[in-house]
Structures are given as structure tokens and as C-alpha cells.
mmCIF file of all heavy atoms in Angstrom:
data_model
loop_
_atom_site.group_PDB
_atom_site.id
_atom_site.type_symbol
_atom_site.label_atom_id
_atom_site.label_comp_id
_atom_site.label_asym_id
_atom_site.label_seq_id
_atom_site.Cartn_x
_atom_site.Cartn_y
_atom_site.Cartn_z
ATOM 1 N N GLY S 221 1.046 -7.852 -49.198
ATOM 2 C CA GLY S 221 1.919 -8.331 -50.246
ATOM 3 C C GLY S 221 1.841 -9.833 -50.449
ATOM 4 O O GLY S 221 1.801 -10.312 -51.587
ATOM 5 N N ASN S 222 1.818 -10.581 -49.361
ATOM 6 C CA ASN S 222 1.777 -12.043 -49.484
ATOM 7 C C ASN S 222 0.470 -12.511 -50.119
ATOM 8 O O ASN S 222 0.441 -13.443 -50.921
ATOM 9 C CB ASN S 222 1.953 -12.690 -48.111
ATOM 10 C CG ASN S 222 2.448 -14.116 -48.210
ATOM 11 O OD1 ASN S 222 3.451 -14.397 -48.855
ATOM 12 N ND2 ASN S 222 1.740 -15.033 -47.570
ATOM 13 N N GLU S 223 -0.620 -11.840 -49.766
ATOM 14 C CA GLU S 223 -1.925 -12.200 -50.318
ATOM 15 C C GLU S 223 -1.972 -11.940 -51.830
ATOM 16 O O GLU S 223 -2.475 -12.771 -52.601
ATOM 17 C CB GLU S 223 -3.037 -11.408 -49.627
ATOM 18 C CG GLU S 223 -3.318 -11.840 -48.193
ATOM 19 C CD GLU S 223 -2.323 -11.288 -47.181
ATOM 20 O OE1 GLU S 223 -1.370 -10.572 -47.601
ATOM 21 O OE2 GLU S 223 -2.467 -11.565 -45.974
ATOM 22 N N LEU S 224 -1.439 -10.789 -52.256
ATOM 23 C CA LEU S 224 -1.464 -10.485 -53.686
ATOM 24 C C LEU S 224 -0.513 -11.397 -54.453
ATOM 25 O O LEU S 224 -0.828 -11.846 -55.559
ATOM 26 C CB LEU S 224 -1.095 -9.022 -53.933
ATOM 27 C CG LEU S 224 -1.151 -8.578 -55.403
ATOM 28 C CD1 LEU S 224 -2.540 -8.808 -55.994
ATOM 29 C CD2 LEU S 224 -0.745 -7.114 -55.544
ATOM 30 N N LYS S 225 0.637 -11.692 -53.867
ATOM 31 C CA LYS S 225 1.589 -12.574 -54.539
ATOM 32 C C LYS S 225 0.957 -13.930 -54.827
ATOM 33 O O LYS S 225 1.108 -14.491 -55.907
ATOM 34 C CB LYS S 225 2.828 -12.753 -53.672
ATOM 35 C CG LYS S 225 4.002 -13.381 -54.406
ATOM 36 C CD LYS S 225 4.644 -12.404 -55.369
ATOM 37 C CE LYS S 225 5.911 -12.957 -55.973
ATOM 38 N NZ LYS S 225 6.616 -11.974 -56.802
ATOM 39 N N GLU S 226 0.227 -14.465 -53.861
ATOM 40 C CA GLU S 226 -0.443 -15.748 -54.037
ATOM 41 C C GLU S 226 -1.434 -15.688 -55.200
ATOM 42 O O GLU S 226 -1.474 -16.585 -56.056
ATOM 43 C CB GLU S 226 -1.165 -16.145 -52.755
ATOM 44 C CG GLU S 226 -1.979 -17.421 -52.838
ATOM 45 C CD GLU S 226 -1.133 -18.680 -52.954
ATOM 46 O OE1 GLU S 226 0.040 -18.651 -52.545
ATOM 47 O OE2 GLU S 226 -1.647 -19.701 -53.454
ATOM 48 N N LEU S 227 -2.237 -14.629 -55.245
ATOM 49 C CA LEU S 227 -3.241 -14.515 -56.304
ATOM 50 C C LEU S 227 -2.599 -14.323 -57.678
ATOM 51 O O LEU S 227 -3.113 -14.824 -58.682
ATOM 52 C CB LEU S 227 -4.190 -13.352 -56.010
ATOM 53 C CG LEU S 227 -5.137 -13.520 -54.822
ATOM 54 C CD1 LEU S 227 -6.146 -12.373 -54.788
ATOM 55 C CD2 LEU S 227 -5.871 -14.850 -54.880
ATOM 56 N N LEU S 228 -1.486 -13.618 -57.724
ATOM 57 C CA LEU S 228 -0.801 -13.413 -58.995
ATOM 58 C C LEU S 228 -0.219 -14.719 -59.532
ATOM 59 O O LEU S 228 -0.344 -15.027 -60.722
ATOM 60 C CB LEU S 228 0.306 -12.365 -58.840
ATOM 61 C CG LEU S 228 -0.165 -10.915 -58.715
ATOM 62 C CD1 LEU S 228 0.976 -10.022 -58.250
ATOM 63 C CD2 LEU S 228 -0.723 -10.410 -60.045
ATOM 64 N N PHE S 229 0.418 -15.483 -58.656
ATOM 65 C CA PHE S 229 0.930 -16.790 -59.068
ATOM 66 C C PHE S 229 -0.208 -17.673 -59.592
ATOM 67 O O PHE S 229 -0.088 -18.305 -60.640
ATOM 68 C CB PHE S 229 1.597 -17.493 -57.890
ATOM 69 C CG PHE S 229 3.019 -17.079 -57.637
ATOM 70 C CD1 PHE S 229 3.467 -16.871 -56.340
ATOM 71 C CD2 PHE S 229 3.926 -16.930 -58.678
ATOM 72 C CE1 PHE S 229 4.785 -16.516 -56.085
ATOM 73 C CE2 PHE S 229 5.243 -16.567 -58.432
ATOM 74 C CZ PHE S 229 5.673 -16.361 -57.125
ATOM 75 N N LYS S 230 -1.277 -17.704 -58.844
ATOM 76 C CA LYS S 230 -2.413 -18.546 -59.219
ATOM 77 C C LYS S 230 -3.024 -18.075 -60.541
ATOM 78 O O LYS S 230 -3.388 -18.893 -61.403
ATOM 79 C CB LYS S 230 -3.472 -18.544 -58.120
ATOM 80 C CG LYS S 230 -4.654 -19.480 -58.367
ATOM 81 C CD LYS S 230 -5.589 -19.492 -57.160
ATOM 82 C CE LYS S 230 -6.737 -20.478 -57.385
ATOM 83 N NZ LYS S 230 -7.631 -20.062 -58.468
ATOM 84 N N ALA S 231 -3.117 -16.762 -60.698
ATOM 85 C CA ALA S 231 -3.694 -16.215 -61.927
ATOM 86 C C ALA S 231 -2.901 -16.657 -63.147
ATOM 87 O O ALA S 231 -3.474 -17.061 -64.167
ATOM 88 C CB ALA S 231 -3.746 -14.693 -61.843
ATOM 89 N N TYR S 232 -1.581 -16.594 -63.053
ATOM 90 C CA TYR S 232 -0.750 -16.935 -64.206
ATOM 91 C C TYR S 232 -0.595 -18.438 -64.396
ATOM 92 O O TYR S 232 -0.802 -18.962 -65.500
ATOM 93 C CB TYR S 232 0.635 -16.293 -64.052
ATOM 94 C CG TYR S 232 1.635 -16.765 -65.074
ATOM 95 C CD1 TYR S 232 1.390 -16.629 -66.443
ATOM 96 C CD2 TYR S 232 2.829 -17.361 -64.680
ATOM 97 C CE1 TYR S 232 2.300 -17.074 -67.385
ATOM 98 C CE2 TYR S 232 3.743 -17.813 -65.622
ATOM 99 C CZ TYR S 232 3.487 -17.669 -66.964
ATOM 100 O OH TYR S 232 4.383 -18.124 -67.906
ATOM 101 N N LEU S 233 -0.245 -19.147 -63.337
ATOM 102 C CA LEU S 233 0.152 -20.547 -63.462
ATOM 103 C C LEU S 233 -1.010 -21.533 -63.381
ATOM 104 O O LEU S 233 -0.896 -22.664 -63.856
ATOM 105 C CB LEU S 233 1.181 -20.890 -62.382
ATOM 106 C CG LEU S 233 2.550 -20.223 -62.587
ATOM 107 C CD1 LEU S 233 3.364 -20.263 -61.301
ATOM 108 C CD2 LEU S 233 3.300 -20.881 -63.726
ATOM 109 N N THR S 234 -2.121 -21.105 -62.805
ATOM 110 C CA THR S 234 -3.258 -22.019 -62.644
ATOM 111 C C THR S 234 -4.452 -21.606 -63.497
ATOM 112 O O THR S 234 -5.044 -22.433 -64.196
ATOM 113 C CB THR S 234 -3.687 -22.095 -61.166
ATOM 114 O OG1 THR S 234 -2.571 -22.514 -60.370
ATOM 115 C CG2 THR S 234 -4.836 -23.084 -60.979
ATOM 116 N N ASP S 235 -4.795 -20.323 -63.450
ATOM 117 C CA ASP S 235 -6.053 -19.878 -64.049
ATOM 118 C C ASP S 235 -5.919 -19.344 -65.473
ATOM 119 O O ASP S 235 -6.941 -19.061 -66.119
ATOM 120 C CB ASP S 235 -6.695 -18.805 -63.167
ATOM 121 C CG ASP S 235 -7.040 -19.329 -61.782
ATOM 122 O OD1 ASP S 235 -7.246 -20.548 -61.656
ATOM 123 O OD2 ASP S 235 -7.086 -18.523 -60.825
ATOM 124 N N GLY S 236 -4.706 -19.169 -65.952
ATOM 125 C CA GLY S 236 -4.524 -18.696 -67.324
ATOM 126 C C GLY S 236 -4.950 -17.260 -67.536
ATOM 127 O O GLY S 236 -5.470 -16.908 -68.603
ATOM 128 N N GLU S 237 -4.717 -16.393 -66.553
ATOM 129 C CA GLU S 237 -5.073 -14.979 -66.685
ATOM 130 C C GLU S 237 -3.850 -14.158 -67.075
ATOM 131 O O GLU S 237 -2.712 -14.521 -66.786
ATOM 132 C CB GLU S 237 -5.669 -14.463 -65.379
ATOM 133 C CG GLU S 237 -6.975 -15.146 -64.984
ATOM 134 C CD GLU S 237 -7.637 -14.461 -63.804
ATOM 135 O OE1 GLU S 237 -8.191 -13.359 -63.996
ATOM 136 O OE2 GLU S 237 -7.587 -15.023 -62.696
ATOM 137 N N ASP S 238 -4.110 -13.022 -67.699
ATOM 138 C CA ASP S 238 -3.048 -12.120 -68.149
ATOM 139 C C ASP S 238 -2.680 -11.178 -67.007
ATOM 140 O O ASP S 238 -3.433 -10.247 -66.695
ATOM 141 C CB ASP S 238 -3.529 -11.327 -69.371
ATOM 142 C CG ASP S 238 -2.448 -10.417 -69.932
ATOM 143 O OD1 ASP S 238 -1.363 -10.328 -69.345
ATOM 144 O OD2 ASP S 238 -2.713 -9.772 -70.975
ATOM 145 N N VAL S 239 -1.517 -11.394 -66.393
ATOM 146 C CA VAL S 239 -1.125 -10.584 -65.233
ATOM 147 C C VAL S 239 -0.508 -9.253 -65.651
ATOM 148 O O VAL S 239 -0.021 -8.502 -64.799
ATOM 149 C CB VAL S 239 -0.162 -11.359 -64.308
ATOM 150 C CG1 VAL S 239 -0.860 -12.570 -63.701
ATOM 151 C CG2 VAL S 239 1.093 -11.779 -65.050
ATOM 152 N N ASN S 240 -0.541 -8.951 -66.944
ATOM 153 C CA ASN S 240 -0.152 -7.624 -67.420
ATOM 154 C C ASN S 240 -1.379 -6.783 -67.767
ATOM 155 O O ASN S 240 -1.262 -5.618 -68.120
ATOM 156 C CB ASN S 240 0.762 -7.747 -68.644
ATOM 157 C CG ASN S 240 1.358 -6.427 -69.075
ATOM 158 O OD1 ASN S 240 1.824 -5.650 -68.248
ATOM 159 N ND2 ASN S 240 1.355 -6.157 -70.372
ATOM 160 N N ASN S 241 -2.548 -7.386 -67.643
ATOM 161 C CA ASN S 241 -3.795 -6.725 -68.001
ATOM 162 C C ASN S 241 -4.320 -5.894 -66.823
ATOM 163 O O ASN S 241 -4.415 -6.404 -65.699
ATOM 164 C CB ASN S 241 -4.823 -7.783 -68.404
ATOM 165 C CG ASN S 241 -6.159 -7.186 -68.779
ATOM 166 O OD1 ASN S 241 -7.000 -6.977 -67.919
ATOM 167 N ND2 ASN S 241 -6.356 -6.923 -70.064
ATOM 168 N N LYS S 242 -4.667 -4.640 -67.072
ATOM 169 C CA LYS S 242 -5.099 -3.755 -65.987
ATOM 170 C C LYS S 242 -6.375 -4.251 -65.318
ATOM 171 O O LYS S 242 -6.536 -4.142 -64.094
ATOM 172 C CB LYS S 242 -5.293 -2.327 -66.509
ATOM 173 C CG LYS S 242 -4.000 -1.614 -66.849
ATOM 174 C CD LYS S 242 -4.258 -0.184 -67.287
ATOM 175 C CE LYS S 242 -2.952 0.530 -67.607
ATOM 176 N NZ LYS S 242 -3.185 1.942 -68.047
ATOM 177 N N GLU S 243 -7.298 -4.785 -66.101
ATOM 178 C CA GLU S 243 -8.548 -5.285 -65.516
ATOM 179 C C GLU S 243 -8.273 -6.466 -64.590
ATOM 180 O O GLU S 243 -8.864 -6.571 -63.503
ATOM 181 C CB GLU S 243 -9.517 -5.686 -66.624
ATOM 182 C CG GLU S 243 -10.065 -4.516 -67.420
ATOM 183 C CD GLU S 243 -11.083 -4.951 -68.456
ATOM 184 O OE1 GLU S 243 -11.407 -6.160 -68.505
ATOM 185 O OE2 GLU S 243 -11.562 -4.083 -69.215
ATOM 186 N N THR S 244 -7.387 -7.353 -65.009
ATOM 187 C CA THR S 244 -7.030 -8.493 -64.164
ATOM 188 C C THR S 244 -6.364 -8.025 -62.885
ATOM 189 O O THR S 244 -6.721 -8.477 -61.780
ATOM 190 C CB THR S 244 -6.070 -9.437 -64.922
ATOM 191 O OG1 THR S 244 -6.715 -9.940 -66.082
ATOM 192 C CG2 THR S 244 -5.643 -10.598 -64.030
ATOM 193 N N LEU S 245 -5.414 -7.112 -62.998
ATOM 194 C CA LEU S 245 -4.711 -6.614 -61.819
ATOM 195 C C LEU S 245 -5.651 -5.853 -60.890
ATOM 196 O O LEU S 245 -5.550 -5.971 -59.661
ATOM 197 C CB LEU S 245 -3.547 -5.721 -62.246
ATOM 198 C CG LEU S 245 -2.401 -6.437 -62.970
ATOM 199 C CD1 LEU S 245 -1.374 -5.425 -63.478
ATOM 200 C CD2 LEU S 245 -1.735 -7.455 -62.053
ATOM 201 N N THR S 246 -6.561 -5.098 -61.460
ATOM 202 C CA THR S 246 -7.540 -4.378 -60.637
ATOM 203 C C THR S 246 -8.409 -5.356 -59.868
ATOM 204 O O THR S 246 -8.641 -5.187 -58.658
ATOM 205 C CB THR S 246 -8.427 -3.481 -61.518
ATOM 206 O OG1 THR S 246 -7.605 -2.516 -62.183
ATOM 207 C CG2 THR S 246 -9.476 -2.770 -60.679
ATOM 208 N N LYS S 247 -8.867 -6.387 -60.538
ATOM 209 C CA LYS S 247 -9.698 -7.401 -59.887
ATOM 210 C C LYS S 247 -8.960 -8.056 -58.734
ATOM 211 O O LYS S 247 -9.512 -8.202 -57.624
ATOM 212 C CB LYS S 247 -10.099 -8.464 -60.905
ATOM 213 C CG LYS S 247 -10.936 -9.612 -60.320
ATOM 214 C CD LYS S 247 -11.076 -10.765 -61.296
ATOM 215 C CE LYS S 247 -9.762 -11.498 -61.472
ATOM 216 N NZ LYS S 247 -9.898 -12.715 -62.314
ATOM 217 N N LEU S 248 -7.714 -8.422 -58.952
ATOM 218 C CA LEU S 248 -6.934 -9.093 -57.908
ATOM 219 C C LEU S 248 -6.643 -8.148 -56.741
ATOM 220 O O LEU S 248 -6.685 -8.554 -55.577
ATOM 221 C CB LEU S 248 -5.632 -9.635 -58.495
ATOM 222 C CG LEU S 248 -5.771 -10.695 -59.587
ATOM 223 C CD1 LEU S 248 -4.395 -11.143 -60.076
ATOM 224 C CD2 LEU S 248 -6.566 -11.893 -59.096
ATOM 225 N N GLY S 249 -6.349 -6.891 -57.064
ATOM 226 C CA GLY S 249 -6.080 -5.918 -56.006
ATOM 227 C C GLY S 249 -7.286 -5.699 -55.116
ATOM 228 O O GLY S 249 -7.176 -5.681 -53.884
ATOM 229 N N ILE S 250 -8.451 -5.533 -55.733
ATOM 230 C CA ILE S 250 -9.682 -5.342 -54.963
ATOM 231 C C ILE S 250 -10.010 -6.599 -54.168
ATOM 232 O O ILE S 250 -10.497 -6.524 -53.037
ATOM 233 C CB ILE S 250 -10.840 -4.960 -55.902
ATOM 234 C CG1 ILE S 250 -10.584 -3.575 -56.511
ATOM 235 C CG2 ILE S 250 -12.176 -4.983 -55.170
ATOM 236 C CD1 ILE S 250 -11.590 -3.188 -57.584
ATOM 237 N N GLN S 251 -9.713 -7.760 -54.750
ATOM 238 C CA GLN S 251 -10.023 -9.039 -54.081
ATOM 239 C C GLN S 251 -9.302 -9.178 -52.747
ATOM 240 O O GLN S 251 -9.840 -9.760 -51.799
ATOM 241 C CB GLN S 251 -9.647 -10.208 -55.001
ATOM 242 C CG GLN S 251 -10.087 -11.568 -54.491
ATOM 243 C CD GLN S 251 -9.846 -12.676 -55.505
ATOM 244 O OE1 GLN S 251 -9.795 -12.424 -56.708
ATOM 245 N NE2 GLN S 251 -9.692 -13.889 -55.031
ATOM 246 N N ILE S 252 -8.089 -8.629 -52.640
ATOM 247 C CA ILE S 252 -7.362 -8.739 -51.367
ATOM 248 C C ILE S 252 -7.660 -7.585 -50.420
ATOM 249 O O ILE S 252 -7.160 -7.557 -49.297
ATOM 250 C CB ILE S 252 -5.843 -8.832 -51.596
ATOM 251 C CG1 ILE S 252 -5.314 -7.552 -52.238
ATOM 252 C CG2 ILE S 252 -5.486 -10.067 -52.399
ATOM 253 C CD1 ILE S 252 -3.809 -7.417 -52.186
ATOM 254 N N GLY S 253 -8.466 -6.612 -50.897
ATOM 255 C CA GLY S 253 -8.878 -5.535 -50.008
ATOM 256 C C GLY S 253 -8.261 -4.186 -50.296
ATOM 257 O O GLY S 253 -8.445 -3.248 -49.508
ATOM 258 N N LEU S 254 -7.554 -4.042 -51.407
ATOM 259 C CA LEU S 254 -7.011 -2.736 -51.757
ATOM 260 C C LEU S 254 -8.114 -1.820 -52.269
ATOM 261 O O LEU S 254 -9.088 -2.281 -52.872
ATOM 262 C CB LEU S 254 -5.931 -2.873 -52.828
ATOM 263 C CG LEU S 254 -4.626 -3.572 -52.416
ATOM 264 C CD1 LEU S 254 -3.713 -3.711 -53.623
ATOM 265 C CD2 LEU S 254 -3.927 -2.808 -51.303
ATOM 266 N N ASP S 255 -7.948 -0.530 -52.040
ATOM 267 C CA ASP S 255 -8.917 0.453 -52.513
ATOM 268 C C ASP S 255 -8.854 0.571 -54.029
ATOM 269 O O ASP S 255 -7.763 0.672 -54.616
ATOM 270 C CB ASP S 255 -8.610 1.810 -51.870
ATOM 271 C CG ASP S 255 -9.561 2.888 -52.351
ATOM 272 O OD1 ASP S 255 -10.723 2.878 -51.934
ATOM 273 O OD2 ASP S 255 -9.117 3.723 -53.164
ATOM 274 N N ALA S 256 -10.009 0.541 -54.671
ATOM 275 C CA ALA S 256 -10.072 0.559 -56.131
ATOM 276 C C ALA S 256 -9.413 1.807 -56.707
ATOM 277 O O ALA S 256 -8.727 1.741 -57.743
ATOM 278 C CB ALA S 256 -11.519 0.457 -56.593
ATOM 279 N N LYS S 257 -9.611 2.954 -56.069
ATOM 280 C CA LYS S 257 -9.017 4.194 -56.565
ATOM 281 C C LYS S 257 -7.498 4.150 -56.456
ATOM 282 O O LYS S 257 -6.779 4.622 -57.349
ATOM 283 C CB LYS S 257 -9.574 5.392 -55.802
ATOM 284 C CG LYS S 257 -11.033 5.691 -56.099
ATOM 285 C CD LYS S 257 -11.495 6.939 -55.366
ATOM 286 C CE LYS S 257 -12.952 7.255 -55.697
ATOM 287 N NZ LYS S 257 -13.424 8.467 -54.969
ATOM 288 N N ALA S 258 -7.001 3.583 -55.363
ATOM 289 C CA ALA S 258 -5.556 3.473 -55.176
ATOM 290 C C ALA S 258 -4.949 2.538 -56.216
ATOM 291 O O ALA S 258 -3.870 2.800 -56.753
ATOM 292 C CB ALA S 258 -5.247 2.977 -53.771
ATOM 293 N N VAL S 259 -5.642 1.448 -56.517
ATOM 294 C CA VAL S 259 -5.172 0.518 -57.542
ATOM 295 C C VAL S 259 -5.135 1.202 -58.909
ATOM 296 O O VAL S 259 -4.151 1.088 -59.650
ATOM 297 C CB VAL S 259 -6.081 -0.734 -57.597
ATOM 298 C CG1 VAL S 259 -5.728 -1.596 -58.809
ATOM 299 C CG2 VAL S 259 -5.956 -1.545 -56.310
ATOM 300 N N ALA S 260 -6.197 1.931 -59.227
ATOM 301 C CA ALA S 260 -6.264 2.630 -60.514
ATOM 302 C C ALA S 260 -5.154 3.664 -60.631
ATOM 303 O O ALA S 260 -4.550 3.823 -61.710
ATOM 304 C CB ALA S 260 -7.632 3.295 -60.668
ATOM 305 N N GLU S 261 -4.872 4.356 -59.556
ATOM 306 C CA GLU S 261 -3.819 5.371 -59.583
ATOM 307 C C GLU S 261 -2.471 4.733 -59.895
ATOM 308 O O GLU S 261 -1.667 5.299 -60.650
ATOM 309 C CB GLU S 261 -3.762 6.105 -58.245
ATOM 310 C CG GLU S 261 -2.732 7.219 -58.219
ATOM 311 C CD GLU S 261 -2.739 7.997 -56.914
ATOM 312 O OE1 GLU S 261 -3.649 7.774 -56.090
ATOM 313 O OE2 GLU S 261 -1.833 8.819 -56.729
#
């Protein structure tokens, strides 16, 4: 949770990414080590 929270804050406030976008959320979830299928579900 802490790892994803950090990436979400950075995505919105620093990198200008859409944190409501499924592709963005999938990328961030996989980046911290979540299973892609679990994220998609």
C-alpha cells in the first residue's frame, strides 16, 4: 500500500498522469509488483 500510494501521488502531482485511467493504474500496479491479472480484475 505504501509503495502504490507514493507512485499515485507522484503520478498526479509530479508527472501529470491521469490516476483515473485504467492503463495508468495498471502500469503503476505492475510497477510495485502486483499481478497484472489481479490488477485487471
Side-chain angles (χ1 to χ4, degrees):
N222 202 53
E223 288 79 358
L224 183 58
K225 193 74 173 186
E226 176 70 23
L227 291 188
L228 286 167
F229 277 138
K230 185 175 183 294
Y232 171 57
L233 290 163
T234 303
D235 298 334
E237 297 189 74
D238 183 356
V239 295
N240 188 45
N241 179 272
K242 289 183 179 180
E243 291 183 3
T244 298
L245 293 174
T246 299
K247 178 191 70 174
L248 298 180
I250 293 173
Q251 188 173 335
I252 64 166
L254 292 176
D255 178 74
K257 290 183 178 179
V259 171
E261 183 177 352

